[in-house]
């Protein structure tokens, strides 16, 4: 189990939002925290503490009026910690090299590999060829529907017809280096983890998986360790003191190392 930091950027600012509230229309979201410092500051902090494989997420649609400001912040973060951060949000074969050249260790992709709610294997092959399997993270963030978890795309706004289960993860693992999985229904709410989802991920445990969503206490971390068999990496957002919460980063790092 490792701690994987995050830098979420929306409308050109580092923020923590409620994931399920994000809307492309008017670029709105329920905001838990808006940082005074820029993305490069957080990247430098993670670098100083030697925390690797965090993710920078661009939360604006590429056609948004804010996208260029959001992208500029992301590039600053990558430049500040070359090789230490992954990046996601609007990734396609056309911009993979730009982000890798800027210092990203991996690119994170969801929406590009789905069309009309289904897996687009042609696009999946294209992104693997451009990025390389060893530099590709697939974001399988999901939401509950009819008692099962389904992968969601387009900044978590659209359901696909692809269920997150062992078979799906087995298939996708042949194309990527890691998975990033937000439990979108609890993302940004700091109100507890999705235990059912964590158990699915922990029981599978074949390539690195980073879980994000709902962690707000050390009891949540203990449950994540137990249900995930100490193999699932974790991101903490709104609950971190860095982002206005109560959990101190150094105490989190110490707890995870135990």
């Amino acid at each position: 189990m490792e701690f994987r930091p995050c830098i979420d950027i929306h409308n050109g600012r580092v923020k923590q939002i409620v994931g399920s509230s994000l809307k492309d229309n008017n670029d709105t979201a329920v905001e838990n925290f808006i940082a005074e410092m820029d993305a490069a500051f957080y990247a430098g902090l993670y670098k100083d503490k030697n925390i690797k494989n965090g993710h920078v997420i661009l939360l604006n649609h590429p056609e948004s009026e804010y996208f260029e400001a959001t992208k500029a912040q992301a590039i600053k973060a990558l430049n500040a910690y070359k090789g230490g951060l992954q990046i996601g949000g609007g990734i396609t074969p056309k911009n993979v090299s730009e982000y890798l050249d800027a210092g990203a260790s991996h690119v994170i992709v969801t929406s590009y590999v789905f069309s009309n709610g289904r897996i687009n294997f042609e696009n999946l092959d294209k992104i693997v060829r451009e990025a390389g399997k060893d530099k590709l993270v697939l974001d399988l963030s999901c939401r509950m529907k009819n008692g099962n978890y389904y992968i969601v795309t387009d900044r978590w706004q659209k359901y696909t017809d692809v269920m997150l289960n062992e078979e799906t993860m087995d298939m996708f693992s042949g194309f990527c280096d890691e998975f990033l999985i937000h439990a979108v229904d609890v993302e940004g709410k700091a109100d507890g983890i999705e235990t059912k989802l964590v158990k699915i991920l922990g029981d599978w445990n074949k390539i690195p998986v980073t879980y994000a969503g709902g962690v707000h206490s050390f009891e949540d971390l203990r449950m994540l360790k137990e249900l995930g068999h100490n193999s699932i990496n974790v991101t903490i957002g709104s609950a971190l003191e860095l982002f206005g919460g109560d959990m101190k980063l150094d105490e989190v790092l110490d707890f995870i190392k135990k």
Side-chain angles (χ1 to χ4, degrees):
M1 185 179 190
E2 298 177 359
F3 176 74
R4 300 286 182 88
C6 62
I7 303 175
D8 295 340
I9 309 172
H10 182 243
N11 296 356
R13 301 284 299 275
V14 176
K15 297 182 181 179
Q16 285 293 311
I17 68 165
V18 176
S20 59
S21 74
L22 185 62
K23 299 290 185 293
D24 286 339
N25 186 30
N26 297 321
D27 296 292
T28 60
V30 175
E31 298 166 339
N32 291 327
F33 178 82
I34 303 176
E36 295 182 5
M37 311 303 289
D38 66 6
F41 166 81
Y42 290 96
L45 175 65
Y46 302 148
K47 181 179 180 180
D48 289 344
K49 292 184 177 294
N50 196 33
I51 309 171
K52 299 179 180 179
N53 297 309
H55 51 272
V56 180
I57 302 295
L58 290 73
L59 291 172
N60 291 103
H61 189 280
E63 295 181 2
S64 164
E65 64 178 299
Y66 296 102
F67 182 76
E68 289 304 319
T70 291
K71 179 180 175 181
Q73 282 290 315
I75 295 294
K76 286 182 179 179
L78 298 180
N79 288 337
Y81 191 5
K82 289 185 178 294
L85 295 168
Q86 306 169 357
I87 187 165
I91 303 295
T92 71
K94 293 181 178 179
N95 58 28
V96 164
S97 60
E98 178 184 6
Y99 289 124
L100 292 178
D101 290 345
S105 66
H106 295 70
V107 291
I108 305 168
V109 180
T110 309
S111 301
Y112 181 75
V113 302
F114 289 88
S115 296
N116 299 318
R118 298 182 179 181
I119 303 168
N120 184 321
F121 285 99
E122 181 180 353
N123 281 0
L124 182 56
D125 287 337
K126 286 179 181 178
I127 201 73
V128 172
R129 286 197 302 269
E130 189 64 33
K133 179 179 181 291
D134 62 331
K135 292 186 177 297
L136 183 64
V137 175
L138 288 178
D139 184 338
L140 304 185
S141 295
C142 56
R143 302 183 74 170
M144 179 74 79
K145 184 172 70 172
N146 300 325
N148 293 296
Y149 290 101
Y150 286 84
I151 297 170
V152 290
T153 67
D154 297 282
R155 290 153 308 285
W156 311 320
Q157 296 172 54
K158 296 180 181 178
Y159 280 94
T160 71
D161 63 2
V162 181
M163 193 183 301
L164 184 72
N165 54 27
E166 182 176 332
E167 181 181 359
T168 299
M169 290 187 288
D170 279 343
M171 186 277 296
F172 275 128
S173 67
F175 295 91
C176 66
D177 197 41
E178 297 187 5
F179 293 138
L180 170 63
I181 301 178
H182 293 82
V184 176
D185 288 327
V186 297
E187 170 70 17
K189 295 182 179 179
D191 196 29
I193 63 174
E194 285 268 19
T195 55
K196 180 180 176 181
L197 175 58
V198 169
K199 191 173 188 310
I200 291 171
L201 303 179
D203 288 348
W204 182 74
N205 188 27
K206 294 181 182 178
I207 67 172
V209 175
T210 297
Y211 168 88
V215 176
H216 78 305
S217 69
F218 288 95
E219 176 59 19
D220 285 331
L221 284 182
R222 186 196 64 75
M223 289 178 61
L224 191 65
K225 268 179 174 280
E226 180 179 331
L227 295 174
H229 309 297
N230 203 32
S231 64
I232 299 175
N233 303 318
V234 62
T235 289
I236 305 173
S238 300
L240 270 187
E241 191 177 57
L242 277 177
F243 301 120
D246 296 324
M247 299 179 74
K248 292 179 172 59
L249 178 59
D250 287 340
E251 292 180 1
V252 168
L253 295 176
D254 288 343
F255 184 91
I256 289 175
K257 288 177 182 176
K258 290 179 182 178

